[in-house]
Amino acid sequence: LMINHGYDVIEKFDAKEGMQLNSSGELRSNLQYSPNQLHDYYATKGVAINVIDMTDTSQPVKDRDINDADFVKKIHDDTTIARAYNLRSMQILKRPLIKAFENKFMNGHQSRIINAHPGDVVSFPGTNIAFWARMKKSFNNVWTLHVIDEGIDTGDFLDRTSKVLKSGKSLLQDMLTMATPAASMIVNDVTMFFAGSPRMATPQNKNLKPAKNYTYATHDEWLDAHKNKIHFVKPQTYINALAMEYTGSMTSERSIELQRALATATLDWQNNYLSIYQAQYNTHPPDYDPNNPGAYFVQIPPPYKPPAHTNTNIGPSHP
């Protein structure tokens, strides 16, 4: 939602009003920013960020393929690159890229690619982990930091962070609650690496891992999840949460325009999904009640209306 519809809104406002910074001219810790905003901000600090839209087919393939030979060579030859972090990447990192990092050293320490895995890397390797943690009745939401090797989530273990799973939360809420502690794990790893005392990596106990990696749920598994009151996302709640995360407000023009853009896109998606689901399964999605469709579809907020001007210089009243 943010990549396709939200970033344009907040970047448009920033082009007109400037970035939302604190009184010291620094990023506000309670807000999120777009990649382009971070690029522009850190450029003023002398830090280069290379932003590539992997879905933009007008960009050369070599710029969108992390395993491209030219990119791998660039990593291999660049002595200033010390460590890499893989966050929610949908590309499999192949042997040449992994070796390009492993063959590099900084201050005597081997460079590696580190993966932030959204689950317990031993109990829940693979993907769609928030779903499986709920389905397997796990008590905790766990994220782990591990070294990337040529297997899938088999690399040496570095760190883990955990929060108790609370009833009634959507799977997306489960994911988002882990953003801050997961970021803290990465900050700690960076700090220790550049301090010359990187965290010791511990081989995983392969005997504790399941027989196969977890994958995306089947349709029947999603139906079972719904029966167990497990939901992927609560759209209206999520839109409001995003607006607050990116604007720090629910009533400003910036926030209202962001809510409208996200709600419009979500409503389009819901209508498309409804027709596709009905065509494929000859029934309604389990969240949809034909007798109460308004409970399923998100509501698009009305356009922003500036607050009425109030005259505080009021003289004596007259009959």
Side-chain angles (χ1 to χ4, degrees):
L1 273 177
M2 287 304 303
I3 292 172
N4 293 329
H5 306 282
Y7 288 160
D8 283 348
V9 173
I10 59 173
E11 288 171 4
K12 179 190 73 174
F13 275 93
D14 282 351
K16 180 175 62 175
E17 303 172 1
M19 283 185 65
Q20 296 191 88
L21 303 175
N22 64 20
S23 58
S24 301
E26 298 174 345
L27 299 175
R28 288 169 55 182
S29 61
N30 67 322
L31 294 184
Q32 304 290 332
Y33 299 86
S34 76
N36 287 331
Q37 289 174 313
L38 295 175
H39 170 277
D40 294 344
Y41 172 80
Y42 281 108
T44 67
K45 308 291 184 181
V47 178
I49 293 180
N50 189 20
V51 179
I52 299 175
D53 182 356
M54 309 299 279
T55 65
D56 183 359
T57 55
S58 68
Q59 299 292 324
V61 173
K62 69 181 185 65
D63 288 343
R64 295 183 285 115
D65 180 6
I66 200 168
N67 295 293
D68 178 78
D70 288 346
F71 179 76
V72 172
K73 184 177 186 304
K74 177 181 178 181
I75 295 295
H76 179 274
D77 295 344
D78 193 333
T79 59
T80 67
I81 298 176
R83 213 159 174 82
Y85 294 90
N86 185 58
L87 310 174
R88 305 302 297 140
S89 171
M90 301 307 289
Q91 294 191 44
I92 298 296
L93 278 60
K94 297 180 181 178
R95 177 182 174 86
L97 180 64
I98 294 171
K99 291 299 180 184
F101 278 92
E102 291 182 343
N103 292 333
K104 294 156 61 73
F105 289 82
M106 178 170 282
N107 298 330
H109 297 289
Q110 186 180 26
S111 179
R112 308 296 292 267
I113 307 176
I114 309 301
N115 187 46
H117 179 73
D120 184 337
V121 77
V122 175
S123 301
F124 294 105
T127 191
N128 210 16
I129 304 307
F131 174 87
W132 292 113
R134 289 282 185 185
M135 287 292 281
K136 300 296 183 180
K137 302 188 185 310
S138 175
F139 293 106
N140 295 310
N141 193 0
V142 178
W143 277 43
T144 49
L145 214 62
H146 71 89
V147 174
I148 285 186
D149 60 13
E150 294 175 52
I152 297 179
D153 297 330
T154 57
D156 291 351
F157 172 85
L158 289 171
D159 198 2
R160 79 194 294 269
T161 187
S162 174
K163 278 192 171 185
V164 175
L165 280 170
K166 297 180 180 179
S167 62
K169 298 290 185 181
S170 69
L171 301 180
L172 197 52
Q173 286 173 306
D174 288 343
M175 292 284 289
L176 293 177
T177 59
M178 297 303 289
T180 298
S184 295
M185 284 198 301
I186 295 171
V187 171
N188 290 340
D189 186 79
V190 170
T191 303
M192 294 175 69
F193 183 84
F194 282 102
S197 56
R199 189 186 298 274
M200 294 296 295
T202 305
Q204 295 185 39
N205 187 340
K206 304 297 193 298
N207 296 325
L208 298 178
K209 296 176 80 73
K212 62 179 182 178
N213 292 333
Y214 287 95
T215 60
Y216 287 105
T218 65
H219 179 247
D220 288 341
E221 286 168 337
W222 276 115
L223 292 181
D224 287 341
H226 187 266
K227 292 175 184 176
N228 289 305
K229 301 187 184 307
I230 298 173
H231 300 278
F232 177 68
V233 63
K234 299 174 181 177
Q236 190 68 56
T237 302
Y238 184 49
I239 289 169
N240 292 342
L242 279 174
M244 182 62 73
E245 284 288 315
Y246 279 87
T247 68
S249 167
M250 290 298 294
T251 58
S252 67
E253 183 179 4
R254 180 194 299 256
S255 178
I256 295 297
E257 287 303 310
L258 180 58
Q259 293 173 59
R260 284 174 54 80
L262 299 182
T264 301
T266 300
L267 187 58
D268 288 343
W269 180 89
Q270 287 181 311
N271 279 304
N272 290 335
Y273 178 72
L274 193 62
S275 61
I276 292 170
Y277 194 99
Q278 289 173 320
Q280 184 166 353
Y281 299 109
N282 198 30
T283 186
H284 299 296
D287 288 328
Y288 179 81
D289 180 0
N291 296 318
N292 186 20
Y296 177 80
F297 293 109
V298 301
Q299 303 298 312
I300 299 177
Y304 174 76
K305 184 178 181 180
H309 177 72
T310 55
N311 187 357
T312 58
N313 185 23
I314 302 176
S317 60
H318 298 279

